[in-house]
Amino acid sequence: MNKTKITLFSAFAFTLLVGCSKYKPATTVDNQELKEYYSPTGFDPNNVPPDSTLLDMTNIAGPDLVPSPACLAVLPTGEVFVGVDMMGSLGKEPGKGSIIKLIDSDNDGTYETHSEFVKVDNPRGIMAVGDQVFVLHTVFNETTGEAERMDLVEFLDKDQDGVADGPANPLIKNICSPSSLRSRGTDHATNGIRMGIDGWIYIAVGDFGFHEAEDRSGKKMTMLGGGIVRVRPDGTEMEVYAHGTRNIYDVAIDPFMNVYTRGNTNDGGGWNIRFIHYVQSGEFGYPTLFKNFTDEIIPALADLGGGSGTGSYFMDDSRWPAAYNHVPMMADWGKSQLYIHRVTMDGPGFTQKDENFIKLSQITDVDLDGSGRMFMAAWDGAGYRGNPDKGYVVKVVPKDWNYEPFPDLNSASVEDLGELLKADNSVTRFHAQQELLTRASDEAAMVALKIAKDKSLPLQNRVAGIYTYAQAACASGIEELLKLSEEDKIREFALRALTDRKTCLQTVPEEPFIAAVQDANPRVQAAAIVGLGRLGKKEAAERLLEIKAPASAKIPEPGKEGPHATPNSEIILSHLAVRSLVELNAVDATVEAINSNPKLALWALRYMHDPKAVDGLIAAYEKSEDQELKDEVLSTLSRLYKEEAPYDGSWWWSTRPDTHGPYYKAIEWEASTKIKDFLLQELSNANPSKRNFFAGLNDRNRMEIAELGTVVEEVVVEEETNVDFEAIKNKKGQVGQSSIEDVILAMGEVKGDPVKGKALFTSQGCIACHSIEKGQVMKGPYMGQIGSIMNRDQITESILKPNASISQGFASFLIDTNDGKSYMGFVTAESADELTLRDITGNPTTIAKKNIKSRKEMENSIMPAGLANSLSYEELSSLITFLQQQK
């Protein structure tokens, strides 16, 4: 009785709150200017001339200065900071890294001077702002010489002598998984950094994740898996921005705070590059929701095949040709290519079309200065452990480009800096903003607000004004931001700025956000939904629970991979509503909505491991006469039976994790017994024909309740492959009698027949260890996308000299077990409790992790050298041509 009274009162209070509010949902949309920013009227991307006719590229530094450049950053005045990383992604020895500063003092195109700015191990991300240089890098223990952690730090150069003034000032410590860092290197660790016009530093976290990262305020945070984390430039307010990515290397941020990445999948296993647009608080699902629970994630915009995404940049500079402006630019190390992704607005999300742009040998990073000069770093074959003789940096400018001196920001007045916020390029606006924020806050806020209100300015300038004002004014700027939110064109940005920093929102009212959930503009709706989660007021749950989940939020059929890389803008609003409900911990309101909006309510309850949620679900089940709803409630209870175990940072799921989901390392919790008892009770009461339904729930959610049974699924039977490798490698044909140099040269001349190559793939024993199709049982290194990862010379070398080209994820392991046995092979599957190892003949062995005594990555490949000795040049060329076609 009391519960009913409270619920009725809550609903009445909510209705009164909305009814009395001066904020009403807008019925008009004004986003034409925003749409045209990405898709200019009259521009046809199909008529873009070749980039070589529009751009000039110059090499400005080679391996004598910048060997193995992993990242770079540029000051607006043109000085280039290059992260030299002689460790590479798999090296583990300290003392091989530095940041080199390149200077063209007279701007004649020749970088005549340089300095070693600082010695720092394994730099993976750099950003230069004024006299600050932010660096993300590995820290080694001085006593043991082992990798200890990864830190985001700040170096200062106040005297501008090109050398850091002193030791690093840590902003975030331990933003990594130290165990994985020590055992593997940084290949799936934390990487690129970039600051948005909102003043946050965005950090690309690989799927090592991190355990107890600590910001400067002492706040600690743990994240299982990859995603984007952000922090203020003073090292405070650390928070997760988005989660569920695989191995991202960098972020691109546009002037309207849309964030983009191109994933990194250069280690096989069948996972491809994905281009993703991020919405704050979004869950992207890797690896536990990525295949079988795609109804719960925001999908990527494109699956791009094999490759290895690295640095990224969003181009916003009117001095560049329109064909290359207002687009995310994404580097791909594996494909030696800088790509353009043309994005088109689609409700609260985007669609995209990718295009080849600039070819550069194993490109690692890209950045722009204040005069429009682009700089790119090329790894150029420096391998997985760095190379002192490889790597360079280039400068790229449009052919009609003219140098424009960048203004002296230090001597500029507040008014001058305000004028620079009106610039037609994002670099000038950003650096002017950062200097403006060092001035008296009231003066800076006044100048920024004037720009935000100026309707004659382009939208990107007004948005820069909004975010500059929000940072300068903080809580005192709420009233003016609320006024700005009344304008259709900029409501989205004003609402985002109001809740952007939790330290500034104590007096922000929820009424404008509640109204905006029903705005005519879906982008405004998205900002309002996220904002309500950040405001933390549970009364907002009532409005969030009015949002309907679309029909496309559909569970994939058993055994079929869901659409995780097909744009689905209609799922974004309901997805964000679920994330905000979870952040609010709005258990009571969500349970109450099971009858009124069951699809969204049950979706949100899947993540609410709270006894009240379990009790509410059982009560809803017992009260309902709708069998479809009752089945959905049983499904939700089954999902809640287990939860993800707390992550301690001591393990990683490898390059080929168990992707079944919904949890990776599942454990029972306090309500598990009640859920089990209820499910068994309903099973006993159910018609025998219903047994498969309960067994399906048991399988799907991995409850491992024996009494529920299991659905018998067709097992893929692998044909046994017996290969006599000694007989193959001891035959001496044309290849076996030639030097590797002669063979590689010949492979450039001899075309080869891929049909013959496919037959040789079997006869030479390749099939024993390598799969080439996703449907096949995974064995050793997956060859289904090798043509996207390696060029012809690299494939040739990997066959002739297996030890010289062991790619990430293709390494073999020696495992000793507690019962005195040893196994050697490729790890082809790994869960929290066991792994599958396949030996050189392709035979699998499943080993319980609790039985593993030691696990050592082998320095040499287990693939025998000489397997191609018996082949002719034409035969080897046919095999290589066949492999090149696997993309």
Side-chain angles (χ1 to χ4, degrees):
M1 186 68 177
N2 287 339
K3 181 178 180 181
T4 303
K5 284 183 178 179
I6 292 171
T7 303
L8 290 173
F9 176 79
S10 175
F12 174 74
F14 176 75
T15 304
L16 188 66
L17 175 69
V18 176
C20 296
S21 173
K22 68 175 182 177
Y23 298 98
K24 305 296 180 185
T27 57
T28 55
V29 179
D30 186 359
N31 62 9
Q32 189 59 34
E33 183 180 356
L34 186 60
K35 284 183 177 180
E36 290 193 0
Y37 176 88
Y38 301 106
S39 306
T41 301
F43 173 71
D44 183 359
N46 296 314
N47 293 330
V48 176
D51 55 52
S52 60
T53 67
L54 298 178
L55 304 175
D56 283 323
M57 182 186 295
T58 307
N59 189 315
I60 66 166
D64 55 323
L65 295 180
V66 289
S68 307
C71 53
L72 58 74
V74 190
L75 280 170
T77 45
E79 296 90 342
V80 185
F81 294 87
V82 183
V84 171
D85 183 13
M86 298 293 291
M87 281 171 53
S89 59
L90 298 181
K92 299 171 186 176
E93 297 178 9
K96 293 186 173 182
S98 63
I99 295 175
I100 302 299
K101 184 177 182 180
L102 305 175
I103 304 166
D104 176 9
S105 56
D106 55 6
N107 293 292
D108 65 348
T110 300
Y111 283 72
E112 66 278 350
T113 61
H114 73 278
S115 62
E116 184 177 73
F117 181 75
V118 69
K119 284 189 176 296
V120 62
D121 281 309
N122 212 195
R124 306 301 273 180
I126 309 175
M127 188 176 61
V129 183
D131 55 15
Q132 299 169 288
V133 179
F134 300 95
V135 181
L136 192 289
H137 74 107
T138 302
V139 177
F140 282 78
N141 185 293
E142 294 183 2
T143 302
T144 65
E146 289 190 327
E148 190 169 75
R149 62 183 193 271
M150 294 189 81
D151 290 353
L152 174 65
V153 303
E154 167 201 50
F155 292 101
L156 296 176
D157 183 15
K158 289 189 176 294
D159 58 8
Q160 295 297 303
D161 65 350
V163 178
D165 294 341
N169 301 313
L171 303 184
I172 300 178
K173 289 184 177 181
N174 204 37
I175 187 161
C176 66
S177 176
S179 175
S180 301
L181 193 65
R182 283 191 288 272
S183 63
R184 284 187 60 91
T186 61
D187 61 337
H188 282 246
T190 309
N191 295 293
I193 56 175
R194 192 171 296 278
M195 195 185 296
I197 198 66
D198 60 354
W200 291 87
I201 299 174
Y202 288 77
I203 307 166
V205 180
D207 64 308
F208 278 172
F210 54 83
H211 179 250
E212 293 210 329
E214 182 177 357
D215 73 8
R216 189 176 280 180
S217 72
K219 178 181 180 180
K220 291 187 177 181
M221 195 165 68
T222 293
M223 187 167 79
L224 173 62
I228 297 174
V229 170
R230 66 179 191 172
V231 69
R232 300 306 299 176
D234 64 355
T236 63
E237 304 179 45
M238 173 178 60
E239 63 181 34
V240 175
Y241 185 79
H243 178 262
T245 56
R246 186 174 187 269
N247 189 24
I248 56 176
Y249 193 90
D250 199 5
V251 296
I253 308 174
D254 74 21
F256 309 106
M257 288 313 305
N258 293 292
V259 181
Y260 314 87
T261 69
R262 183 183 177 97
N264 184 319
T265 62
N266 195 38
D267 45 19
W271 294 112
N272 292 330
I273 292 292
R274 283 161 179 81
F275 176 67
I276 296 176
H277 161 244
Y278 293 83
V279 184
Q280 186 174 4
S281 79
E283 170 59 54
F284 296 85
Y286 184 85
T288 53
L289 306 178
F290 208 62
K291 280 189 174 181
N292 303 313
F293 298 83
T294 47
D295 55 309
E296 302 179 26
I297 69 171
I298 298 178
L301 299 190
D303 182 317
L304 301 164
S308 183
T310 46
S312 60
Y313 184 77
F314 189 92
M315 175 62 76
D316 176 86
D317 194 308
S318 65
R319 293 163 294 198
W320 275 66
Y324 310 138
N325 203 13
H326 298 177
V327 290
M329 294 182 173
M330 300 284 171
D332 194 297
W333 179 93
K335 296 185 175 181
S336 294
Q337 184 78 48
L338 183 66
Y339 288 89
I340 281 175
H341 293 266
R342 298 196 188 279
V343 292
T344 302
M345 279 178 55
D346 180 22
F350 291 89
T351 57
Q352 73 91 46
K353 181 180 178 183
D354 51 284
E355 304 171 9
N356 292 0
F357 182 34
I358 297 175
K359 195 79 175 172
L360 194 69
S361 179
Q362 292 188 318
I363 179 173
T364 56
D365 210 355
V366 54
D367 203 5
L368 210 75
D369 77 357
S371 66
R373 293 176 288 197
M374 176 188 281
F375 299 86
M376 297 185 291
W379 192 251
D380 191 35
Y384 295 103
R385 293 173 173 82
N387 187 319
D389 301 317
K390 294 288 186 177
Y392 55 90
V393 172
V394 299
K395 178 187 68 176
V396 181
V397 294
K399 283 193 178 293
D400 59 354
W401 175 87
N402 292 304
Y403 171 70
E404 298 175 8
F406 193 77
D408 182 354
L409 298 181
N410 290 327
S411 63
S413 67
V414 169
E415 290 72 22
D416 292 338
L417 294 171
E419 286 300 310
L420 292 174
L421 279 181
K422 300 177 184 178
D424 56 6
N425 69 89
S426 60
V427 174
T428 299
R429 293 194 298 269
F430 169 75
H431 287 280
Q433 177 203 66
Q434 291 301 300
E435 178 62 31
L436 189 57
L437 292 172
T438 67
R439 309 299 176 88
S441 59
D442 55 344
E443 294 182 35
M446 183 175 63
V447 167
L449 182 60
K450 185 177 179 181
I451 292 168
K453 289 181 174 181
D454 190 344
K455 295 182 180 182
S456 69
L457 291 173
L459 186 58
Q460 54 267 40
N461 300 98
R462 297 188 68 192
V463 172
I466 288 171
Y467 280 113
T468 307
Y469 176 73
Q471 292 176 73
C474 195
S476 65
I478 292 171
E479 183 178 350
E480 291 292 348
L481 288 172
L482 287 171
K483 291 178 183 177
L484 288 168
S485 75
E486 296 173 8
E487 183 185 341
D488 283 357
K489 181 179 286 191
I490 59 173
R491 182 176 300 112
E492 167 195 348
F493 312 107
L495 290 178
R496 284 190 66 170
L498 277 163
T499 60
D500 195 43
R501 297 180 62 184
K502 291 186 176 181
T503 55
C504 299
L505 53 67
Q506 291 83 352
T507 59
V508 174
E510 67 267 29
E511 292 91 341
F513 293 86
I514 289 172
V517 169
Q518 297 180 335
D519 198 279
N521 184 346
R523 291 184 62 87
V524 171
Q525 289 178 274
I529 293 167
V530 173
L532 287 172
R534 294 180 65 77
L535 283 170
K537 298 178 181 179
K538 292 188 179 182
E539 306 88 79
E542 305 283 349
R543 177 53 55 86
L544 294 171
L545 285 160
E546 294 175 1
I547 297 169
K548 300 295 183 181
S552 57
K554 184 169 63 175
I555 295 172
E557 293 181 26
K560 291 190 176 180
E561 190 172 285
H564 49 72
T566 302
N568 184 9
S569 62
E570 69 175 9
I571 206 171
I572 292 175
L573 298 180
S574 53
H575 179 97
L576 296 179
V578 168
R579 303 318 306 166
S580 287
L581 287 166
V582 173
E583 187 170 358
L584 292 171
N585 193 31
V587 178
D588 293 335
T590 307
V591 166
E592 199 67 31
I594 291 174
N595 290 318
S596 60
N597 190 3
K599 191 166 185 178
L600 189 85
L602 294 175
W603 181 358
L605 285 166
R606 294 172 201 169
Y607 316 110
M608 297 181 180
H609 286 83
D610 187 309
K612 292 191 297 181
V614 174
D615 292 342
L617 285 161
I618 292 174
Y621 178 91
E622 293 174 337
K623 191 165 51 177
S624 177
E625 296 182 1
D626 181 337
Q627 190 57 51
E628 184 177 353
L629 175 60
K630 290 168 78 75
D631 287 350
E632 289 298 325
V633 170
L634 289 176
S635 178
T636 305
L637 282 167
S638 300
R639 175 66 170 272
L640 288 173
Y641 177 67
K642 289 187 177 181
E643 67 177 357
E644 193 71 62
Y647 180 53
D648 64 5
S650 66
W651 55 270
W652 179 53
W653 44 48
S654 84
T655 59
R656 298 174 187 179
D658 177 357
T659 55
H660 183 285
Y663 309 107
Y664 186 77
K665 202 169 187 176
I667 58 172
E668 295 179 12
W669 61 292
E670 61 178 295
S672 294
T673 300
K674 175 176 279 192
I675 294 172
K676 178 180 178 180
D677 291 346
F678 182 75
L679 291 173
L680 293 178
Q681 170 193 307
E682 292 309 304
L683 173 64
S684 66
N685 294 335
N687 187 294
S689 64
K690 195 84 171 177
R691 293 198 66 88
N692 255 13
F693 171 77
F694 284 92
L697 293 179
N698 198 27
D699 290 344
R700 175 171 169 78
N701 296 291
R702 287 189 167 178
M703 292 187 284
E704 300 176 322
I705 299 175
E707 297 91 331
L708 292 179
T710 182
V711 177
V712 178
E713 296 181 356
E714 183 180 349
V715 178
V716 178
V717 178
E718 180 185 359
E719 294 184 11
E720 187 173 333
T721 307
N722 295 310
V723 179
D724 186 346
F725 289 107
E726 290 300 317
I728 293 172
K729 73 180 185 180
N730 287 328
K731 291 182 179 179
K732 302 294 182 184
Q734 192 175 12
V735 172
Q737 296 169 355
S738 305
S739 70
I740 187 171
E741 292 82 4
D742 287 341
V743 175
I744 289 177
L745 287 172
M747 292 307 99
E749 299 294 331
V750 182
K751 184 177 181 181
D753 181 350
V755 176
K756 290 182 180 179
K758 185 175 183 179
L760 286 162
F761 188 80
T762 298
S763 66
Q764 292 305 116
C766 310
I767 195 69
C769 290
H770 303 288
S771 301
I772 57 173
E773 295 180 8
K774 283 189 176 181
Q776 295 174 331
V777 174
M778 192 62 67
K779 302 176 183 179
Y782 175 66
M783 294 289 109
Q785 59 190 34
I786 191 67
S788 295
I789 297 170
M790 291 183 175
N791 60 32
R792 193 171 179 85
D793 287 353
Q794 290 169 323
I795 294 173
T796 305
E797 182 186 32
S798 70
I799 294 172
L800 301 181
K801 296 174 62 180
N803 294 334
S805 300
I806 303 176
S807 184
Q808 300 178 53
F810 291 1
S812 56
F813 289 84
L814 174 64
I815 293 179
D816 295 324
T817 56
N818 293 322
D819 54 3
K821 296 180 180 179
S822 295
Y823 304 88
M824 185 185 296
F826 306 108
V827 176
T828 58
E830 185 166 1
S831 70
D833 302 313
E834 62 184 25
L835 58 79
T836 299
L837 197 76
R838 287 183 182 266
D839 63 21
I840 186 61
T841 65
N843 294 319
T845 301
T846 299
I847 305 171
K849 284 190 171 179
K850 63 183 179 182
N851 190 35
I852 294 177
K853 181 179 180 181
S854 65
R855 172 178 175 172
K856 180 182 179 183
E857 183 176 334
M858 307 298 290
E859 293 185 2
N860 296 324
S861 172
I862 64 171
M863 174 179 166
L867 294 185
N869 281 350
S870 65
L871 301 181
S872 68
Y873 281 173
E874 191 274 335
E875 289 173 320
L876 179 60
S877 179
S878 294
L879 175 58
I880 293 168
T881 301
F882 168 69
L883 292 173
Q884 275 192 295
Q885 292 180 352
Q886 308 310 307
K887 296 182 179 181

